[in-house]
């Protein structure tokens, strides 16, 4: 039987691939057979790529600041050249800033919107153009949304706006690309125990217990929890899935 989830020979970019959810999803794609270029902000990206290669996986690293449009374009073009094409992109890089809304600094608003919304849209456009160049257009765009694509959260208005935008441009691009062999979908992780959330996972923070109590699965998520859905969305198994925003949240949304 054909393995619908096999990614052998597929070429992928994963932004934010040096740690947290992006790193785990990159690993998942490689374990399913893909070659991956991970993007990271520092030279550490090469150490992370090497650590994957040491495990027998096929990984290369590229240093890029995704807040800079010229660097985004150059890194995308370089990655496609390194891979010899492109089949999959996961837009996982993201940042968080916390201030009460009335005093939320505009500089932080702009930083969050640039990295979390503008960069994924820009890279999705570049990926779509690359996929459309193929004799038979084909490709998978996977965006990382959030619970805050669905509700507003507390003290994170820029993040909520950016992740609402990610869900919406995923649907908007889907309407134009689904008939052209390109799948664009998003994963909405729930509350995940990563570096981004150290302010919330501090047991002294009263929100730690409130959030944990609302997760039907009874625990915060991990990078490993993201692998299956990432492989599914990157593979032929999801060829008829378009414009979806899939919660991977231990049931948080439905409680
Ligand atoms: N942790 C959660 O609970 C959670 C929940 C929902 C969504 N998410 C989303 O998942 C994604 C990954 O989050 P995480 O929890 O792994 O966070 P993380 O902070 O551990 O990792 C974020 C990654 O983004 C990269 N990045 C940040 N700014 C960048 C820039 N300017 N240029 C290039 N790379 C940059 C970092 O280098 C890092 O690799 C983000 O989009 C985040 O918004 C996380």
């Amino acid at each position: 039987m054909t393995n619908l989830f096999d990614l052998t020979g597929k070429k992928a970019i994963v932004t934010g691939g040096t740690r947290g959810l992006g790193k785990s999803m990159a690993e998942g794609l490689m374990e399913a057979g893909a070659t991956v270029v991970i993007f990271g902000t520092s030279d550490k990206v090469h150490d992370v790529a090497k650590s994957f290669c040491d495990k027998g996986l096929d990984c290369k690293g590229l240093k890029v600041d995704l807040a800079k449009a010229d660097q985004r374009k150059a890194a995308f073009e370089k990655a496609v050249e390194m891979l010899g094409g492109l089949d999959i992109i996961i837009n996982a890089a993201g940042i968080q800033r916390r201030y009460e809304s009335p005093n939320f600094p505009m500089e932080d608003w702009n930083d969050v919107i640039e990295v979390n919304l503008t960069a994924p849209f820009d890279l999705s456009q570049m990926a779509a153009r690359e996929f459309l160049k193929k004799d038979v257009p084909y490709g998978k765009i996977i965006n990382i949304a959030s619970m805050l694509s669905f509700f507003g959260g507390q003290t994170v208005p820029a993040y909520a706006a950016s992740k609402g935008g990610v869900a919406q441009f995923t649907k908007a691009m889907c309407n134009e690309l689904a008939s052209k062999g390109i799948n664009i979908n998003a994963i909405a992780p729930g509350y995940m125990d990563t570096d981004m959330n150290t302010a919330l996972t501090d047991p002294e923070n009263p929100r730690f217990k409130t959030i944990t109590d609302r997760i039907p699965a009874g625990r915060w998520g991990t990078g490993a929890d993201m692998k299956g859905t990432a492989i599914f969305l990157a593979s032929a198994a999801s060829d008829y899935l378009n414009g979806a925003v899939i919660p991977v949240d231990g049931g948080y949304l439905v409680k």
Side-chain angles (χ1 to χ4, degrees):
M1 188 183 126
T2 311
N3 179 356
L4 282 172
F5 299 90
D6 184 19
L7 297 179
T8 303
K10 298 295 182 195
K11 298 155 183 174
I13 292 172
V14 179
T15 75
T18 53
R19 69 180 207 191
L21 307 184
K23 184 178 179 186
S24 294
M25 289 187 285
E27 184 171 57
L29 298 194
M30 287 183 270
E31 287 167 346
T35 301
V36 178
V37 171
I38 53 170
F39 285 3
T41 45
S42 72
D43 285 324
K44 197 185 143 218
V45 70
H46 301 296
D47 300 334
V48 177
K50 184 176 177 308
S51 71
F52 280 132
C53 293
D54 290 345
K55 288 200 250 178
L57 301 173
D58 196 352
C59 188
K60 296 171 181 64
L62 257 185
K63 181 179 159 184
V64 52
D65 180 357
L66 292 173
K68 308 262 168 40
D70 54 341
Q71 288 195 31
R72 283 199 293 268
K73 184 168 184 293
F76 180 86
E77 286 170 359
K78 178 77 185 159
V80 172
E81 186 190 314
M82 288 160 78
L83 289 163
L86 188 72
D87 304 296
I88 301 155
I89 185 164
I90 301 185
N91 288 309
I95 56 173
Q96 178 62 288
R97 303 279 165 82
R98 297 175 189 278
Y99 299 96
E100 293 191 354
S101 299
N103 297 311
F104 199 95
M106 286 311 294
E107 194 184 339
D108 291 276
W109 170 275
N110 290 333
D111 289 349
V112 172
I113 295 296
E114 188 68 31
V115 175
N116 291 12
L117 178 57
T118 306
F121 179 62
D122 197 12
L123 290 165
S124 295
Q125 286 187 304
M126 290 184 230
R129 291 196 295 264
E130 195 61 36
F131 299 155
L132 289 169
K133 277 189 212 162
K134 298 180 190 183
D135 292 340
V136 180
Y138 182 84
K140 304 277 189 177
I141 301 171
I142 302 164
N143 290 316
I144 305 305
S146 166
M147 293 293 97
L148 300 201
S149 300
F150 303 101
F151 51 77
Q154 289 177 40
T155 69
V156 289
Y159 188 85
S162 70
K163 293 298 184 177
V166 165
Q168 288 304 97
F169 91 68
T170 297
K171 297 173 204 171
M173 287 186 76
C174 157
N175 293 338
E176 295 173 49
L177 297 175
S179 65
K180 298 185 173 126
I182 299 173
N183 299 77
I184 175 165
N185 292 289
I187 303 174
Y191 284 84
M192 315 299 276
D193 188 3
T194 66
D195 290 342
M196 182 175 277
N197 277 334
T198 45
L200 292 179
T201 50
D202 177 356
E204 299 293 309
N205 184 337
R207 289 200 61 212
F208 175 68
K209 183 172 171 359
T210 319
I211 291 167
T212 310
D213 287 347
R214 193 188 147 162
I215 304 172
R219 64 170 177 86
W220 287 53
T222 66
D225 292 316
M226 298 286 289
K227 282 187 180 180
T229 310
I231 294 167
F232 167 58
L233 291 180
S235 68
S238 62
D239 277 354
Y240 195 60
L241 193 77
N242 302 90
V245 182
I246 302 176
V248 175
D249 65 347
Y252 187 92
L253 263 189
V254 298
K255 188 157 179 183

